[in-house]
Amino acid sequence: MTTGFRAPKGTNDILPPYSRDWLWLTRYASGVFQRSGYEYVDTPMFEQTEVFERGVGAGSEVVGKQMYTFDDMGGRSLTLRPEGTAPVMRAVLEHALDRGPLPVKLYYVGPFFRQERPQKGRFRQFFQLGIEAIGSDDPSIDAEVIEISWRLLNELDVKPRLLLNSIGHQDPTCRGAYLATLVAWLEDRADQMAPADTYRITANPLRTFDSKEEKTIALMETAPVITDHLCAACTEHFAAVRSLLDEIGVVYELAPRLVRGLDYYTRTAFEFVSGRLGSQDALGGGGRYDGLSESLGGPALPGIGFALGVDRILLASTDRDWTEPGPPHIYAVALGDAARRDVFNLVTELRRAVVRAEFDVMNRGMKGQMKEADRSGARWAAIVGDDELAKGEVTLKDLKSGEQEGVGRSNLIRVLHERHGNEAEAVSPGPGHGR
Ligand code: HAM
């Protein structure tokens, strides 16, 4: 029976068994980030709207069209976070972390909200895994951030392509000059663009590279590219980032037409795309945002980071074998009323000794309980009847081989951990384990 209520359009319930992979992935990624010196940060799910207007840029699609914005009871305009970089920078500045040791290296996992038209891989509530390194403009931190995301995605076997670009910095000698060239070039060819895109020439000329219209896409193939117009410092920075990536064997493709959808980016910009996702092919992306702190009223404070879409990684990874070895898993089967009471004690004792233990609370008979034991995925059943109670033991049944034997109650925990340990050694680990 259903009630007629549905989760809001564009949102997902994360249910088992999918939730197992979801949890494994977020934990695994957390481990990867921690091993590179990043610490967990969690900012509120909503911020003052201005954090995004000033941080991400009022001219971006995300801010202009996709935000969930509302007034609270005090008449303050709040917005459900559409992304994590501006909030993390807000938190760093608010708590003066930038006055401590630099760089500040943080990672996050959580839900983000964008009012987009839902389709495969595009949701209104989605999850990101991201890192931000704030306080350094050294090319080696760019290479570190890119390598971490590249390695994580490769370990997960989603086989992404890494697209890399530099989009310079906001200065008349760099991106400013390029934009003037681009606008003039586009104005001369406005008739060759899709009519829906001509507004971009004045509104946000870089966005013309993001068009989904075939006519505009074809035109942009021949447009002047930013990498031919970078200032000397940005050219040198980009060359240094590439050379570091080459040295550590990160495989990338130069993508001079890659512009990111958020306005804070400067210099290094990158994106991971997958052929397994259809039109929403970006698994994640990131880049440098050297002006973000200042646009939020802070000091000059460079930064770089990325965010990966958890939902999209899970969509792109078709062969997931990510289950953790976990503790020994047993299902306690009770025959008779006395045994039922005893089994509750047994299960509690086992759980306290780090065994995954389950038992029947639906008053099933022996057959029903054995079926449940199988369904639960337990490796063993501990059968308790009057006989076993009298002898102070359980009948331990191996649910794989069908073999069974009496095991004294005082030995049960040791025997389970021992057999589980032998088994875990013999089983080959899933992708990513032990790295
Ligand atoms: P972004 O490219 O807007 O960057 O989002 C990063 C990733 O989040 C996307 O590549 C995609 O996998 C996922 N994503 C975005 N929107 C949706 C959606 N509607 N449904 C499902 N997945 C989605 C940022 O958000 C930047 N804050 C990344 C960053 C961190 N740059 C520097 N530091």
Side-chain angles (χ1 to χ4, degrees):
M1 196 184 83
T2 59
T3 60
F5 288 118
R6 297 272 179 283
K9 189 172 169 186
T11 67
N12 296 302
D13 295 310
I14 298 169
L15 304 172
Y18 176 80
S19 60
R20 283 183 215 153
D21 288 342
W22 192 97
L23 202 58
W24 183 90
L25 170 59
T26 53
R27 283 188 186 152
Y28 183 72
S30 300
V32 170
F33 301 155
Q34 285 163 5
R35 284 197 295 283
S36 297
Y38 291 76
E39 289 215 67
Y40 185 66
V41 65
D42 202 3
T43 62
M45 230 82 79
F46 51 86
E47 293 276 345
Q48 266 174 270
T49 301
E50 246 189 294
V51 169
F52 303 112
E53 285 172 348
R54 289 173 46 178
V56 178
S60 64
E61 290 245 308
V62 169
V63 173
K65 296 192 186 155
Q66 299 173 351
M67 296 206 301
Y68 282 96
T69 297
F70 56 95
D71 283 346
D72 72 1
M73 283 190 273
R76 286 168 287 257
S77 179
L78 299 174
T79 293
L80 294 185
R81 58 182 189 184
E83 65 97 48
T85 311
V88 167
M89 183 61 89
R90 193 267 312 139
V92 165
L93 296 173
E94 178 177 340
H95 302 286
L97 302 188
D98 56 309
R99 286 189 228 144
L102 295 178
V104 181
K105 303 215 295 188
L106 301 168
Y107 79 91
Y108 48 87
V109 183
F112 293 84
F113 309 87
R114 295 183 192 176
Q115 222 159 155
E116 299 192 76
R117 202 165 40 78
Q119 62 180 86
K120 185 183 168 198
R122 187 163 73 189
F123 309 108
R124 293 185 168 177
Q125 174 175 303
F126 56 96
F127 289 81
Q128 284 188 349
L129 283 160
I131 71 176
E132 312 292 350
I134 295 174
S136 166
D137 63 1
D138 194 89
S140 60
I141 193 78
D142 300 52
E144 169 178 299
V145 163
I146 294 170
E147 193 276 337
I148 291 170
S149 47
W150 181 81
R151 172 160 40 96
L152 174 61
L153 290 172
N154 278 291
E155 284 179 3
L156 296 172
D157 216 20
V158 287
K159 307 208 166 45
R161 286 165 59 213
L162 165 56
L163 309 179
L164 180 67
N165 196 16
S166 171
I167 56 170
H169 78 299
Q170 279 148 341
D171 191 86
T173 61
C174 193
R175 196 190 302 162
Y178 166 69
L179 288 180
T181 309
L182 179 65
V183 167
W185 189 90
L186 288 169
E187 276 170 349
D188 285 348
R189 290 161 186 80
D191 57 327
Q192 297 172 44
M193 281 174 92
D197 282 331
T198 47
Y199 81 96
R200 296 183 194 231
I201 300 177
T202 41
N204 205 334
L206 273 187
R207 285 281 90 71
T208 45
F209 285 103
D210 264 351
S211 171
K212 301 276 179 283
E213 305 282 340
E214 266 175 42
K215 227 176 141 187
T216 312
I217 296 173
L219 175 67
M220 297 316 286
E221 293 288 319
T222 57
V225 294
I226 188 145
T227 35
D228 292 336
H229 295 81
L230 296 177
C231 69
C234 287
T235 303
E236 198 183 310
H237 190 272
F238 191 37
V241 173
R242 292 193 321 261
S243 125
L244 285 165
L245 291 174
D246 292 339
E247 227 169 90
I248 53 176
V250 171
V251 181
Y252 56 85
E253 299 167 32
L254 291 177
R257 291 179 181 77
L258 173 72
V259 291
R260 301 263 307 129
L262 313 169
D263 287 350
Y264 48 59
Y265 288 113
T266 52
R267 294 189 161 179
T268 310
F270 60 100
E271 209 156 87
F272 293 97
V273 294
S274 162
R276 298 181 188 166
L277 284 176
S279 68
Q280 299 306 308
D281 63 351
L283 282 169
R288 187 163 270 295
Y289 42 84
D290 293 346
L292 175 58
S293 166
E294 284 150 295
S295 60
L296 293 177
L301 189 64
I304 180 164
F306 67 76
L308 305 175
V310 174
D311 317 80
R312 291 190 191 171
I313 294 176
L314 286 162
L315 270 173
S317 51
T318 40
D319 286 330
R320 292 198 294 269
D321 178 18
W322 292 349
T323 39
E324 301 266 12
H329 185 179
I330 193 164
Y331 195 98
V333 174
L335 310 178
D337 288 341
R340 273 190 191 277
R341 265 196 309 282
D342 183 65
V343 149
F344 180 64
N345 284 325
L346 173 66
V347 160
T348 307
E349 193 186 325
L350 289 168
R351 289 174 181 166
R352 287 177 181 159
V354 202
V355 172
R356 174 171 168 187
E358 295 171 55
F359 70 114
D360 172 52
V361 292
M362 303 301 288
N363 219 4
R364 293 181 174 90
M366 164 88 174
K367 237 172 131 183
Q369 291 182 58
M370 289 307 291
K371 228 166 129 185
E372 272 304 293
D374 275 333
R375 199 199 52 81
S376 76
R379 179 74 173 76
W380 292 279
I383 303 164
V384 181
D386 291 339
D387 260 13
E388 285 85 356
L389 280 179
K391 288 195 219 153
E393 46 179 54
V394 305
T395 297
L396 186 64
K397 179 166 181 178
D398 182 327
L399 293 175
K400 240 191 212 165
S401 67
E403 281 165 28
Q404 54 183 56
E405 68 188 301
V407 176
R409 280 285 277 265
S410 53
N411 289 334
L412 182 60
I413 288 166
R414 186 182 50 76
V415 168
L416 279 176
H417 279 295
E418 245 170 48
R419 296 204 180 157
H420 181 66
N422 294 342
E423 190 134 304
E425 262 173 41
V427 172
S428 70
H433 286 303
R435 282 199 178 87

